[in-house]
Amino acid sequence: MALIVGLGNPGQEYEGTRHNIGFELIDTLSDQLKIPLKPGNGPFIIGEGRFKGQNVFLLKPTTFMNHSGKAVTKVLAATGESTDNCIICYDDINLDVGTIRLRPSGSAGGHNGLADILNRLGTQQISRLRIGIGNNFSRGKQVDYVLSPFSPEQRIEINQVLEVASDAILTFLRGGINLAMNEFN
């Protein structure tokens, strides 16, 4: 079984914002893998399907970003899975728009959604896919920046990077984080 988690904020006012790129990736994977998403038995939207002979869960926490760990821990407990086959997908201001990076573990790097997940799980040993959103904001304006939409030019680039990120996730499903890192980093 694999659990693919995309981070974002619930609500129409956050759709299309930089901070919700993880949700957009889950939507892309849902379409590509034909795994419908529906409200789950907890603070999340979930889809279950199969890919290359394994069960795959797609997860979008419906808590706000800073409480994403609640949904992840609930789904891992319900499925009896460890974090070995789990990957967290989220926005990263430290990467340029259109860039992705995969890592097998590490700190939250200042991302509060990932920090909550790592804190609740009690480990930093969880794979992650970071999607660059850039950092073109003035001092003290980070929140406004991450909660704003991409420019029309950036949106074209983001739509392309979502396809690449989706391919990276499929590679992760086929062969694990090391194979995905070798092909996409």
Side-chain angles (χ1 to χ4, degrees), residues 53-154:
Q54 71 175 311
N55 288 337
V56 175
F57 291 91
L58 303 177
L59 182 71
K60 292 168 46 172
T62 54
T63 57
F64 282 93
M65 180 72 76
N66 296 356
H67 302 285
S68 298
K70 186 175 182 180
V72 175
T73 55
K74 183 164 178 111
V75 171
L76 286 173
T79 61
E81 258 314 304
S82 72
T83 58
D84 294 344
N85 293 319
C86 181
I87 188 165
I88 312 296
C89 309
Y90 60 96
D91 60 292
D92 192 328
I93 62 171
N94 296 311
L95 295 175
D96 292 336
V97 173
T99 304
I100 66 168
R101 288 286 180 272
L102 292 125
R103 290 184 64 192
S105 62
S107 73
H111 193 282
N112 292 333
L114 182 61
D116 187 61
I117 293 168
L118 299 179
N119 183 49
R120 286 177 186 261
L121 293 174
T123 183
Q124 292 185 351
Q125 301 301 311
I126 189 163
S127 298
R128 71 274 323 258
L129 184 149
R130 301 166 15 220
I131 302 171
I133 62 169
N135 57 8
N136 188 18
F137 56 88
S138 304
R139 185 179 176 102
K141 299 293 184 183
Q142 179 176 336
V143 171
D144 294 336
Y145 178 77
V146 300
L147 296 179
S148 67
F150 293 98
S151 71
E153 297 80 20
Q154 289 174 329

Side-chain angles (χ1 to χ4, degrees), residues 19-31:
H19 219 23
N20 274 34
I21 196 73
F23 278 7
E24 289 189 46
L25 178 56
I26 294 298
D27 292 339
T28 300
L29 288 163
S30 172
D31 291 343

